[in-house]
Amino acid sequence: MHKLTFLTLGLLLLGAPALAAKTVGANLKSVGIVPGKPGGTYTLPLGDNPSTFNYYGAIDNNTYTVLNNVLESLVEYNLATYKLEPGLAESWTTSKDGKVWTFKLRKDVKWHDGQPFNADDVVFTYNNIILNPGVRANQIPNLTFGGQPVKVEKVDNSTVRMTLNQAAGAFLQPLRTFIFPQHVFAKVDPLKNPENFMKMWSTDKASEVVGTGPFKFGGYVTGQKVTLVKNPLYYKVDSKGTKLPYLDRLEYLIVRDPQAQVSQFVAGNLDEVNINGAQFPDLKQKEVAGAPFKIQRSKALFGSPPHWSFNFDVKDPALAKVFRDLRFRQAMQSAVNRPRVINDIYNTIAMLPGHGVSPISEFYVNTTRALGKYDLKAAAAKLDAMGLKDTDKDGFRNLPGGKNLEFDVTYGTDSTIYPPLITILQNDLKSIGVKINPKGILVANLLSTGMSSSFESMILAFGDQPDPQLRREIWQPGQALHYWHLSTRDKDGKPVFSAMQPWEKRIYDIFDQGATVTDPIKRKALYGEWQALFSKNLPVIMIAKADNLAAVSNKVGNFVYNLGPIPTYNTHTFIYMK
Amino acid sequence: MLTYALRRLLGILPTMLVISAVCFLVIQLQPGSFIDQYLEDPRMSRETVARITEQLGLNQPAWMQYLRWIEGIFLRGDFGFSFTNSRPVTSMIWDSLGWTVFLAVITMLVSWLVAIPLGVYTALNRYGWPATIMNFIGYFSLATPDYLVAMLLSALVLKLGWTNVNGLFSPQFIDAPWSGPKVLDLLNHLWIPVIVLGLEGVASIMRQMRASMLDVMNQDFVRTARSKGLASKVVLWRHTFRNAVNPLISIAGLSLPNLINASIIGSIVLNLPTIGPLLYSSLINKDQYLAMTLLMLSALLLLIGNLLADLALAWADPRVRFE
């Protein structure tokens, strides 16, 4: 024991002057992070082959999951608060008008191949890759402010200046995107030859991938495994001075079928697996019976709470009039039996949803009271008040033209949530004289069906994000993904204010202001007002928010629920094997 | 015989061209294109989508895309690029081909070795209880989908507390160099896919063999042979069996394309690194050149299998040769 302490101390003393290591983890006690011990292999599942190892070469979650351990960005998430902290940038300053940001870069960071990291890497990555319209997974929309992409310049070897056309409150969020090594990519000219850039770091060239992250590439066997190994040059240490990451190896087994993933976990070949409410009871039973793993449940910041939308632009004018009437949407809201949905469909692993914002987000305003109670009588009364009565005595209410109050609900059949949800809605609504016709399609086709406006009503899920600004395309009327009211956007992508109801116009203004206001208190107030408007006017009806569930082997220490492939939310730096 | 084989070989080319055109048409008729997923993504600007469309050549009319693809194959042996993977299609197929062929060959060998004796046995002992049981198992396994068998076997393995639940290796052996323990680990995993992928084959070949044996057993030449006083073993193996096995040779030829198509769902459930899931995902993602190349490979194997079966049949059965 003494020997070990001595050795560690000695190593520290030797290493300290050369590497001004960054101490992390002391502020993470609230999520259970403790000093761990080095060594060991941690094995995780991956849902499919990554399509490439070039982060900007594809939009693919498997690629992102792996690279999150290999690449880094200027800023990164704090695991406990989800607030942004310095990453490759040591510190930054903002000009008074909020338009000029100056980033000081860390000087002790090396690429996996030993080359030093510097301002050229940042400037090259932004100007030639991230802001390059020919690159497939570029980030131009996220980094465009006041109609202009951000201007990125080198000040000196360890200073970068970014200039915005307009102040932006959420500017740090998109800076979570990863930095690439200039010395590797300069040989292809991505601005001139984006095709050649895309071929770099494809899956047959895994050994060429170079990052600054805690892990570097070890190997890739198609269809079977991605191996990452510890980066011995990594600049972070824990609160006791032990070099991070603790793990020697981080392995992703490629297992496509979710049930096969659980089997592999139970057999002991995986140390962790993310599960859903449907898989929960069986595994919980095993845990209680003494299996060597624990089920961890946590509130989710990200994730996609399902909602119910009504197409304001539906072809049938009588139906469109009903859908645009707030009383109708309020009636439908009262007819959603949320307690039953949470109990029966989510196996209790869910909570009441927020309105566009996760209940654990710093922007969240408690709007649960606006969700109301499950009350079919109240729902029926609202419909009566609208004059929607059963005039032909066939059991269903009639629209003014005489047609039945009947519409399609498009939903995804290959989901564990949507089909039972539809059954519950259908039965409840039938009892108050509303006929819904379930129309099942593949989950993958839901959004495109919504965007083509060829639906009457739809159950769909959109992700919550740490900053509402990041989901502006969905919630701001007139934006590209505001699919239930597409007439608020013209062919050139400009907003059509005449098509908006007053509360929609106000939401439009809130998002426009929220984009430029930098004062955090003012931003919070603006987004609070939006959530209140959302919960009162119900552009869509929120259903429920699932919690995160994972099963973790007892051998694993410092497990923090992995939020999925969210850039720079890297929990594996702290994982250790007991 | 040689001219016949040559003629057939030459015939493959135009057939493949027709098949490729039909496949391309079918893929084009699928709603949507590869680009759609980008159109939906809020991170993508219209400009980017337009540039990617141009890069991939998807802005050209379909017939032009097709001709370019065919031209690439003939002039440069280039089967195109995978849209999702930014990699040449052939290198992607190459990655999974080894395991696919290995599994297919092993499964085929095992199922034939099991099925043919069982078929002969059930034909010879039609009314005994062992034959009845075997027939029942045969029907049952024909009727059971392979993914269900895969799930049942996985559950059984878990129940017994074993770790070889799916995949071909334990995690630590996947990227280890070949060694004795690695081979043992492979064998320990291999029996599950062999049962799952082979079960249906065993059942159908066994039933074919049985029917074919019963057919031949009642024919005149067998009765003649027997009445001439030949030993029953000679009658069985030299006359009955040799004639009964002919139809199975055609089946063998037709099973070549199974190398690719067999058990896509079974492969996903068992987590096997074969081409099946690749074909599935390329069709789902509308990764057109990858899907096309895999479909063409499958068609080519079918044609070659047919040819080989015909040649083998001609070799085995003089009657076919003279016709």
PDB file of all heavy atoms in Angstrom, chain A residues 51 133-134 136 138 141 203 222 225 227 254 260 264 267 269 448, chain B residues 38 40 43-44 48 52 55 81 83 85 87 95 163 166 171 175 271:
ATOM      1  N   SER A  51     -21.480   3.970 -39.471  1.00  0.00           N
ATOM      2  CA  SER A  51     -21.380   4.073 -40.928  1.00  0.00           C
ATOM      3  C   SER A  51     -20.043   4.675 -41.334  1.00  0.00           C
ATOM      4  O   SER A  51     -19.601   4.487 -42.455  1.00  0.00           O
ATOM      5  CB  SER A  51     -22.555   4.855 -41.503  1.00  0.00           C
ATOM      6  OG  SER A  51     -22.630   6.112 -40.924  1.00  0.00           O
ATOM      7  N   PRO A 133     -20.431  23.891 -46.660  1.00  0.00           N
ATOM      8  CA  PRO A 133     -21.730  23.343 -47.089  1.00  0.00           C
ATOM      9  C   PRO A 133     -21.606  22.030 -47.855  1.00  0.00           C
ATOM     10  O   PRO A 133     -22.583  21.296 -47.982  1.00  0.00           O
ATOM     11  CB  PRO A 133     -22.307  24.443 -47.976  1.00  0.00           C
ATOM     12  CG  PRO A 133     -21.175  25.339 -48.314  1.00  0.00           C
ATOM     13  CD  PRO A 133     -20.142  25.203 -47.242  1.00  0.00           C
ATOM     14  N   GLY A 134     -20.411  21.686 -48.350  1.00  0.00           N
ATOM     15  CA  GLY A 134     -20.255  20.430 -49.078  1.00  0.00           C
ATOM     16  C   GLY A 134     -20.058  19.241 -48.165  1.00  0.00           C
ATOM     17  O   GLY A 134     -20.142  18.094 -48.592  1.00  0.00           O
ATOM     18  N   ARG A 136     -21.091  16.639 -45.360  1.00  0.00           N
ATOM     19  CA  ARG A 136     -22.425  16.088 -45.142  1.00  0.00           C
ATOM     20  C   ARG A 136     -23.038  16.485 -43.804  1.00  0.00           C
ATOM     21  O   ARG A 136     -24.164  16.919 -43.742  1.00  0.00           O
ATOM     22  CB  ARG A 136     -22.347  14.574 -45.247  1.00  0.00           C
ATOM     23  CG  ARG A 136     -23.573  14.010 -45.868  1.00  0.00           C
ATOM     24  CD  ARG A 136     -23.458  12.534 -45.995  1.00  0.00           C
ATOM     25  NE  ARG A 136     -22.963  12.138 -47.302  1.00  0.00           N
ATOM     26  CZ  ARG A 136     -22.854  10.867 -47.663  1.00  0.00           C
ATOM     27  NH1 ARG A 136     -23.176   9.913 -46.820  1.00  0.00           N
ATOM     28  NH2 ARG A 136     -22.413  10.563 -48.851  1.00  0.00           N
ATOM     29  N   ASN A 138     -22.344  18.930 -41.763  1.00  0.00           N
ATOM     30  CA  ASN A 138     -21.873  20.250 -41.327  1.00  0.00           C
ATOM     31  C   ASN A 138     -22.845  20.827 -40.300  1.00  0.00           C
ATOM     32  O   ASN A 138     -23.923  20.311 -40.081  1.00  0.00           O
ATOM     33  CB  ASN A 138     -21.726  21.184 -42.526  1.00  0.00           C
ATOM     34  CG  ASN A 138     -23.072  21.502 -43.150  1.00  0.00           C
ATOM     35  OD1 ASN A 138     -23.958  22.024 -42.498  1.00  0.00           O
ATOM     36  ND2 ASN A 138     -23.232  21.161 -44.417  1.00  0.00           N
ATOM     37  N   PRO A 141     -26.426  25.459 -39.960  1.00  0.00           N
ATOM     38  CA  PRO A 141     -27.627  26.059 -39.368  1.00  0.00           C
ATOM     39  C   PRO A 141     -27.446  26.396 -37.887  1.00  0.00           C
ATOM     40  O   PRO A 141     -27.955  27.409 -37.423  1.00  0.00           O
ATOM     41  CB  PRO A 141     -28.697  24.975 -39.561  1.00  0.00           C
ATOM     42  CG  PRO A 141     -28.182  24.109 -40.654  1.00  0.00           C
ATOM     43  CD  PRO A 141     -26.696  24.146 -40.552  1.00  0.00           C
ATOM     44  N   THR A 203     -14.926   3.462 -42.338  1.00  0.00           N
ATOM     45  CA  THR A 203     -14.793   2.359 -41.390  1.00  0.00           C
ATOM     46  C   THR A 203     -13.643   1.399 -41.718  1.00  0.00           C
ATOM     47  O   THR A 203     -13.230   0.626 -40.870  1.00  0.00           O
ATOM     48  CB  THR A 203     -16.100   1.558 -41.292  1.00  0.00           C
ATOM     49  OG1 THR A 203     -16.577   1.334 -42.611  1.00  0.00           O
ATOM     50  CG2 THR A 203     -17.139   2.304 -40.494  1.00  0.00           C
ATOM     51  N   THR A 222     -15.709  -5.545 -38.361  1.00  0.00           N
ATOM     52  CA  THR A 222     -17.033  -5.279 -38.916  1.00  0.00           C
ATOM     53  C   THR A 222     -18.096  -6.191 -38.327  1.00  0.00           C
ATOM     54  O   THR A 222     -17.902  -7.395 -38.246  1.00  0.00           O
ATOM     55  CB  THR A 222     -17.015  -5.484 -40.444  1.00  0.00           C
ATOM     56  OG1 THR A 222     -15.966  -4.708 -40.973  1.00  0.00           O
ATOM     57  CG2 THR A 222     -18.324  -5.035 -41.073  1.00  0.00           C
ATOM     58  N   LYS A 225     -17.228  -5.699 -33.282  1.00  0.00           N
ATOM     59  CA  LYS A 225     -16.689  -4.961 -32.140  1.00  0.00           C
ATOM     60  C   LYS A 225     -15.896  -3.719 -32.547  1.00  0.00           C
ATOM     61  O   LYS A 225     -15.194  -3.728 -33.540  1.00  0.00           O
ATOM     62  CB  LYS A 225     -15.781  -5.909 -31.343  1.00  0.00           C
ATOM     63  CG  LYS A 225     -15.236  -5.331 -30.051  1.00  0.00           C
ATOM     64  CD  LYS A 225     -14.750  -6.431 -29.125  1.00  0.00           C
ATOM     65  CE  LYS A 225     -13.254  -6.541 -29.144  1.00  0.00           C
ATOM     66  NZ  LYS A 225     -12.752  -7.482 -28.134  1.00  0.00           N
ATOM     67  N   THR A 227     -13.039  -1.395 -30.662  1.00  0.00           N
ATOM     68  CA  THR A 227     -12.198  -1.356 -29.463  1.00  0.00           C
ATOM     69  C   THR A 227     -11.521   0.000 -29.342  1.00  0.00           C
ATOM     70  O   THR A 227     -10.897   0.478 -30.287  1.00  0.00           O
ATOM     71  CB  THR A 227     -11.105  -2.440 -29.537  1.00  0.00           C
ATOM     72  OG1 THR A 227     -11.731  -3.686 -29.815  1.00  0.00           O
ATOM     73  CG2 THR A 227     -10.347  -2.538 -28.224  1.00  0.00           C
ATOM     74  N   ILE A 254     -21.061  -4.934 -31.142  1.00  0.00           N
ATOM     75  CA  ILE A 254     -22.141  -4.562 -32.047  1.00  0.00           C
ATOM     76  C   ILE A 254     -23.239  -5.617 -31.966  1.00  0.00           C
ATOM     77  O   ILE A 254     -23.047  -6.759 -32.379  1.00  0.00           O
ATOM     78  CB  ILE A 254     -21.606  -4.397 -33.482  1.00  0.00           C
ATOM     79  CG1 ILE A 254     -20.615  -3.230 -33.496  1.00  0.00           C
ATOM     80  CG2 ILE A 254     -22.743  -4.144 -34.460  1.00  0.00           C
ATOM     81  CD1 ILE A 254     -19.735  -3.171 -34.687  1.00  0.00           C
ATOM     82  N   ALA A 260     -31.366  -9.171 -27.867  1.00  0.00           N
ATOM     83  CA  ALA A 260     -30.061  -9.850 -27.859  1.00  0.00           C
ATOM     84  C   ALA A 260     -29.070  -9.082 -26.991  1.00  0.00           C
ATOM     85  O   ALA A 260     -28.212  -9.680 -26.338  1.00  0.00           O
ATOM     86  CB  ALA A 260     -29.527  -9.981 -29.289  1.00  0.00           C
ATOM     87  N   GLN A 264     -27.061 -10.706 -23.914  1.00  0.00           N
ATOM     88  CA  GLN A 264     -25.612 -10.590 -23.750  1.00  0.00           C
ATOM     89  C   GLN A 264     -25.266 -10.003 -22.384  1.00  0.00           C
ATOM     90  O   GLN A 264     -24.273 -10.382 -21.769  1.00  0.00           O
ATOM     91  CB  GLN A 264     -25.008  -9.692 -24.846  1.00  0.00           C
ATOM     92  CG  GLN A 264     -24.959 -10.328 -26.217  1.00  0.00           C
ATOM     93  CD  GLN A 264     -23.750 -11.226 -26.382  1.00  0.00           C
ATOM     94  OE1 GLN A 264     -23.325 -11.906 -25.467  1.00  0.00           O
ATOM     95  NE2 GLN A 264     -23.213 -11.257 -27.593  1.00  0.00           N
ATOM     96  N   ALA A 267     -25.883 -12.634 -19.714  1.00  0.00           N
ATOM     97  CA  ALA A 267     -24.839 -13.662 -19.788  1.00  0.00           C
ATOM     98  C   ALA A 267     -23.490 -13.155 -19.286  1.00  0.00           C
ATOM     99  O   ALA A 267     -22.549 -13.920 -19.155  1.00  0.00           O
ATOM    100  CB  ALA A 267     -24.700 -14.144 -21.235  1.00  0.00           C
ATOM    101  N   ASN A 269     -21.585 -10.784 -20.817  1.00  0.00           N
ATOM    102  CA  ASN A 269     -20.672 -10.313 -21.854  1.00  0.00           C
ATOM    103  C   ASN A 269     -20.684  -8.802 -22.012  1.00  0.00           C
ATOM    104  O   ASN A 269     -19.819  -8.245 -22.674  1.00  0.00           O
ATOM    105  CB  ASN A 269     -21.022 -10.957 -23.196  1.00  0.00           C
ATOM    106  CG  ASN A 269     -20.787 -12.459 -23.172  1.00  0.00           C
ATOM    107  OD1 ASN A 269     -19.882 -12.925 -22.489  1.00  0.00           O
ATOM    108  ND2 ASN A 269     -21.610 -13.201 -23.888  1.00  0.00           N
ATOM    109  N   SER A 448     -41.436  12.376 -42.092  1.00  0.00           N
ATOM    110  CA  SER A 448     -41.587  12.770 -43.492  1.00  0.00           C
ATOM    111  C   SER A 448     -43.069  12.852 -43.864  1.00  0.00           C
ATOM    112  O   SER A 448     -43.460  13.688 -44.664  1.00  0.00           O
ATOM    113  CB  SER A 448     -40.832  11.821 -44.419  1.00  0.00           C
ATOM    114  OG  SER A 448     -41.225  10.502 -44.197  1.00  0.00           O
TER     115      SER A 448
ATOM    116  N   TYR B  38     -31.907  13.530 -44.866  1.00  0.00           N
ATOM    117  CA  TYR B  38     -31.220  14.793 -44.655  1.00  0.00           C
ATOM    118  C   TYR B  38     -32.183  15.965 -44.726  1.00  0.00           C
ATOM    119  O   TYR B  38     -32.045  16.943 -44.003  1.00  0.00           O
ATOM    120  CB  TYR B  38     -30.109  14.968 -45.688  1.00  0.00           C
ATOM    121  CG  TYR B  38     -28.960  14.034 -45.435  1.00  0.00           C
ATOM    122  CD1 TYR B  38     -28.644  13.033 -46.322  1.00  0.00           C
ATOM    123  CD2 TYR B  38     -28.209  14.150 -44.274  1.00  0.00           C
ATOM    124  CE1 TYR B  38     -27.601  12.164 -46.069  1.00  0.00           C
ATOM    125  CE2 TYR B  38     -27.171  13.287 -44.014  1.00  0.00           C
ATOM    126  CZ  TYR B  38     -26.861  12.298 -44.910  1.00  0.00           C
ATOM    127  OH  TYR B  38     -25.838  11.442 -44.647  1.00  0.00           O
ATOM    128  N   GLU B  40     -35.069  16.036 -43.696  1.00  0.00           N
ATOM    129  CA  GLU B  40     -35.831  16.118 -42.456  1.00  0.00           C
ATOM    130  C   GLU B  40     -35.007  16.671 -41.308  1.00  0.00           C
ATOM    131  O   GLU B  40     -35.535  17.060 -40.289  1.00  0.00           O
ATOM    132  CB  GLU B  40     -36.284  14.716 -42.038  1.00  0.00           C
ATOM    133  CG  GLU B  40     -37.389  14.169 -42.876  1.00  0.00           C
ATOM    134  CD  GLU B  40     -37.543  12.690 -42.630  1.00  0.00           C
ATOM    135  OE1 GLU B  40     -36.945  12.172 -41.673  1.00  0.00           O
ATOM    136  OE2 GLU B  40     -38.270  12.076 -43.401  1.00  0.00           O
ATOM    137  N   ARG B  43     -30.492  20.066 -38.854  1.00  0.00           N
ATOM    138  CA  ARG B  43     -29.113  20.514 -38.937  1.00  0.00           C
ATOM    139  C   ARG B  43     -28.662  20.762 -40.371  1.00  0.00           C
ATOM    140  O   ARG B  43     -27.600  21.260 -40.637  1.00  0.00           O
ATOM    141  CB  ARG B  43     -28.187  19.472 -38.300  1.00  0.00           C
ATOM    142  CG  ARG B  43     -28.276  19.470 -36.797  1.00  0.00           C
ATOM    143  CD  ARG B  43     -27.564  18.278 -36.228  1.00  0.00           C
ATOM    144  NE  ARG B  43     -28.285  17.047 -36.506  1.00  0.00           N
ATOM    145  CZ  ARG B  43     -27.995  15.881 -35.947  1.00  0.00           C
ATOM    146  NH1 ARG B  43     -26.999  15.791 -35.120  1.00  0.00           N
ATOM    147  NH2 ARG B  43     -28.704  14.809 -36.237  1.00  0.00           N
ATOM    148  N   MET B  44     -29.489  20.332 -41.342  1.00  0.00           N
ATOM    149  CA  MET B  44     -29.062  20.388 -42.737  1.00  0.00           C
ATOM    150  C   MET B  44     -29.683  21.579 -43.450  1.00  0.00           C
ATOM    151  O   MET B  44     -30.898  21.732 -43.440  1.00  0.00           O
ATOM    152  CB  MET B  44     -29.546  19.135 -43.468  1.00  0.00           C
ATOM    153  CG  MET B  44     -28.753  17.936 -43.121  1.00  0.00           C
ATOM    154  SD  MET B  44     -27.193  18.078 -43.944  1.00  0.00           S
ATOM    155  CE  MET B  44     -26.424  16.598 -43.379  1.00  0.00           C
ATOM    156  N   THR B  48     -26.810  22.457 -48.485  1.00  0.00           N
ATOM    157  CA  THR B  48     -26.023  21.257 -48.241  1.00  0.00           C
ATOM    158  C   THR B  48     -26.676  20.056 -48.908  1.00  0.00           C
ATOM    159  O   THR B  48     -26.009  19.246 -49.554  1.00  0.00           O
ATOM    160  CB  THR B  48     -25.905  21.005 -46.734  1.00  0.00           C
ATOM    161  OG1 THR B  48     -25.308  22.150 -46.147  1.00  0.00           O
ATOM    162  CG2 THR B  48     -25.065  19.790 -46.452  1.00  0.00           C
ATOM    163  N   ILE B  52     -25.001  17.591 -51.619  1.00  0.00           N
ATOM    164  CA  ILE B  52     -24.846  16.139 -51.433  1.00  0.00           C
ATOM    165  C   ILE B  52     -25.531  15.395 -52.573  1.00  0.00           C
ATOM    166  O   ILE B  52     -24.985  14.428 -53.116  1.00  0.00           O
ATOM    167  CB  ILE B  52     -25.427  15.704 -50.078  1.00  0.00           C
ATOM    168  CG1 ILE B  52     -24.642  16.357 -48.951  1.00  0.00           C
ATOM    169  CG2 ILE B  52     -25.375  14.193 -49.930  1.00  0.00           C
ATOM    170  CD1 ILE B  52     -25.286  16.200 -47.614  1.00  0.00           C
ATOM    171  N   GLN B  55     -23.203  15.503 -55.352  1.00  0.00           N
ATOM    172  CA  GLN B  55     -22.047  14.632 -55.115  1.00  0.00           C
ATOM    173  C   GLN B  55     -22.377  13.175 -55.405  1.00  0.00           C
ATOM    174  O   GLN B  55     -21.581  12.435 -55.954  1.00  0.00           O
ATOM    175  CB  GLN B  55     -21.602  14.716 -53.648  1.00  0.00           C
ATOM    176  CG  GLN B  55     -20.731  15.900 -53.301  1.00  0.00           C
ATOM    177  CD  GLN B  55     -20.603  16.049 -51.788  1.00  0.00           C
ATOM    178  OE1 GLN B  55     -20.829  15.099 -51.039  1.00  0.00           O
ATOM    179  NE2 GLN B  55     -20.246  17.232 -51.340  1.00  0.00           N
ATOM    180  N   PHE B  81     -20.309   3.451 -54.902  1.00  0.00           N
ATOM    181  CA  PHE B  81     -20.007   3.832 -53.532  1.00  0.00           C
ATOM    182  C   PHE B  81     -21.217   3.606 -52.658  1.00  0.00           C
ATOM    183  O   PHE B  81     -22.337   3.787 -53.087  1.00  0.00           O
ATOM    184  CB  PHE B  81     -19.647   5.324 -53.505  1.00  0.00           C
ATOM    185  CG  PHE B  81     -18.227   5.553 -53.133  1.00  0.00           C
ATOM    186  CD1 PHE B  81     -17.226   5.275 -54.043  1.00  0.00           C
ATOM    187  CD2 PHE B  81     -17.895   6.007 -51.875  1.00  0.00           C
ATOM    188  CE1 PHE B  81     -15.911   5.472 -53.709  1.00  0.00           C
ATOM    189  CE2 PHE B  81     -16.583   6.202 -51.538  1.00  0.00           C
ATOM    190  CZ  PHE B  81     -15.590   5.937 -52.456  1.00  0.00           C
ATOM    191  N   PHE B  83     -23.566   5.045 -50.099  1.00  0.00           N
ATOM    192  CA  PHE B  83     -23.905   6.416 -49.703  1.00  0.00           C
ATOM    193  C   PHE B  83     -23.685   6.621 -48.211  1.00  0.00           C
ATOM    194  O   PHE B  83     -23.141   7.609 -47.777  1.00  0.00           O
ATOM    195  CB  PHE B  83     -25.370   6.739 -50.013  1.00  0.00           C
ATOM    196  CG  PHE B  83     -25.684   6.792 -51.469  1.00  0.00           C
ATOM    197  CD1 PHE B  83     -26.989   6.793 -51.902  1.00  0.00           C
ATOM    198  CD2 PHE B  83     -24.663   6.849 -52.410  1.00  0.00           C
ATOM    199  CE1 PHE B  83     -27.288   6.860 -53.254  1.00  0.00           C
ATOM    200  CE2 PHE B  83     -24.947   6.904 -53.752  1.00  0.00           C
ATOM    201  CZ  PHE B  83     -26.273   6.900 -54.173  1.00  0.00           C
ATOM    202  N   ASN B  85     -21.838   4.885 -46.108  1.00  0.00           N
ATOM    203  CA  ASN B  85     -20.525   4.609 -45.537  1.00  0.00           C
ATOM    204  C   ASN B  85     -19.368   5.302 -46.233  1.00  0.00           C
ATOM    205  O   ASN B  85     -18.233   5.146 -45.799  1.00  0.00           O
ATOM    206  CB  ASN B  85     -20.262   3.102 -45.536  1.00  0.00           C
ATOM    207  CG  ASN B  85     -21.272   2.373 -44.689  1.00  0.00           C
ATOM    208  OD1 ASN B  85     -22.456   2.379 -44.999  1.00  0.00           O
ATOM    209  ND2 ASN B  85     -20.838   1.791 -43.598  1.00  0.00           N
ATOM    210  N   ARG B  87     -17.779   4.503 -48.717  1.00  0.00           N
ATOM    211  CA  ARG B  87     -16.769   3.477 -48.984  1.00  0.00           C
ATOM    212  C   ARG B  87     -17.162   2.727 -50.233  1.00  0.00           C
ATOM    213  O   ARG B  87     -18.352   2.597 -50.522  1.00  0.00           O
ATOM    214  CB  ARG B  87     -16.775   2.462 -47.832  1.00  0.00           C
ATOM    215  CG  ARG B  87     -15.716   2.651 -46.805  1.00  0.00           C
ATOM    216  CD  ARG B  87     -15.901   1.637 -45.710  1.00  0.00           C
ATOM    217  NE  ARG B  87     -15.378   0.333 -46.079  1.00  0.00           N
ATOM    218  CZ  ARG B  87     -15.345  -0.699 -45.252  1.00  0.00           C
ATOM    219  NH1 ARG B  87     -15.811  -0.583 -44.042  1.00  0.00           N
ATOM    220  NH2 ARG B  87     -14.852  -1.853 -45.642  1.00  0.00           N
ATOM    221  N   ASP B  95     -15.898  -7.332 -46.396  1.00  0.00           N
ATOM    222  CA  ASP B  95     -15.780  -7.405 -44.942  1.00  0.00           C
ATOM    223  C   ASP B  95     -16.617  -8.531 -44.334  1.00  0.00           C
ATOM    224  O   ASP B  95     -16.207  -9.167 -43.375  1.00  0.00           O
ATOM    225  CB  ASP B  95     -16.265  -6.084 -44.317  1.00  0.00           C
ATOM    226  CG  ASP B  95     -15.132  -5.093 -44.168  1.00  0.00           C
ATOM    227  OD1 ASP B  95     -13.998  -5.458 -44.504  1.00  0.00           O
ATOM    228  OD2 ASP B  95     -15.400  -3.965 -43.729  1.00  0.00           O
ATOM    229  N   THR B 163     -22.459 -18.425 -21.250  1.00  0.00           N
ATOM    230  CA  THR B 163     -22.227 -17.068 -21.760  1.00  0.00           C
ATOM    231  C   THR B 163     -22.241 -16.995 -23.287  1.00  0.00           C
ATOM    232  O   THR B 163     -22.181 -15.921 -23.845  1.00  0.00           O
ATOM    233  CB  THR B 163     -20.857 -16.533 -21.292  1.00  0.00           C
ATOM    234  OG1 THR B 163     -19.859 -17.415 -21.783  1.00  0.00           O
ATOM    235  CG2 THR B 163     -20.771 -16.437 -19.787  1.00  0.00           C
ATOM    236  N   ASN B 166     -25.098 -15.226 -27.932  1.00  0.00           N
ATOM    237  CA  ASN B 166     -25.184 -15.004 -29.378  1.00  0.00           C
ATOM    238  C   ASN B 166     -23.871 -14.446 -29.895  1.00  0.00           C
ATOM    239  O   ASN B 166     -22.918 -14.269 -29.156  1.00  0.00           O
ATOM    240  CB  ASN B 166     -26.388 -14.141 -29.787  1.00  0.00           C
ATOM    241  CG  ASN B 166     -26.494 -12.866 -28.985  1.00  0.00           C
ATOM    242  OD1 ASN B 166     -25.497 -12.228 -28.694  1.00  0.00           O
ATOM    243  ND2 ASN B 166     -27.701 -12.503 -28.599  1.00  0.00           N
ATOM    244  N   PRO B 171     -16.502 -11.853 -26.225  1.00  0.00           N
ATOM    245  CA  PRO B 171     -15.937 -10.536 -26.563  1.00  0.00           C
ATOM    246  C   PRO B 171     -14.412 -10.532 -26.653  1.00  0.00           C
ATOM    247  O   PRO B 171     -13.847  -9.938 -27.564  1.00  0.00           O
ATOM    248  CB  PRO B 171     -16.409  -9.641 -25.418  1.00  0.00           C
ATOM    249  CG  PRO B 171     -17.610 -10.302 -24.871  1.00  0.00           C
ATOM    250  CD  PRO B 171     -17.486 -11.763 -25.139  1.00  0.00           C
ATOM    251  N   ASP B 175     -11.255  -9.926 -31.497  1.00  0.00           N
ATOM    252  CA  ASP B 175     -10.129  -9.382 -32.244  1.00  0.00           C
ATOM    253  C   ASP B 175      -8.799 -10.019 -31.837  1.00  0.00           C
ATOM    254  O   ASP B 175      -7.734  -9.494 -32.131  1.00  0.00           O
ATOM    255  CB  ASP B 175     -10.075  -7.847 -32.115  1.00  0.00           C
ATOM    256  CG  ASP B 175     -10.250  -7.382 -30.686  1.00  0.00           C
ATOM    257  OD1 ASP B 175     -10.318  -8.241 -29.786  1.00  0.00           O
ATOM    258  OD2 ASP B 175     -10.331  -6.161 -30.460  1.00  0.00           O
ATOM    259  N   ASN B 271     -27.155 -12.083 -33.923  1.00  0.00           N
ATOM    260  CA  ASN B 271     -26.014 -11.185 -33.968  1.00  0.00           C
ATOM    261  C   ASN B 271     -24.840 -11.782 -34.742  1.00  0.00           C
ATOM    262  O   ASN B 271     -23.718 -11.816 -34.264  1.00  0.00           O
ATOM    263  CB  ASN B 271     -25.595 -10.849 -32.531  1.00  0.00           C
ATOM    264  CG  ASN B 271     -24.781  -9.595 -32.480  1.00  0.00           C
ATOM    265  OD1 ASN B 271     -24.996  -8.706 -33.292  1.00  0.00           O
ATOM    266  ND2 ASN B 271     -23.841  -9.538 -31.572  1.00  0.00           N
TER     267      ASN B 271
END
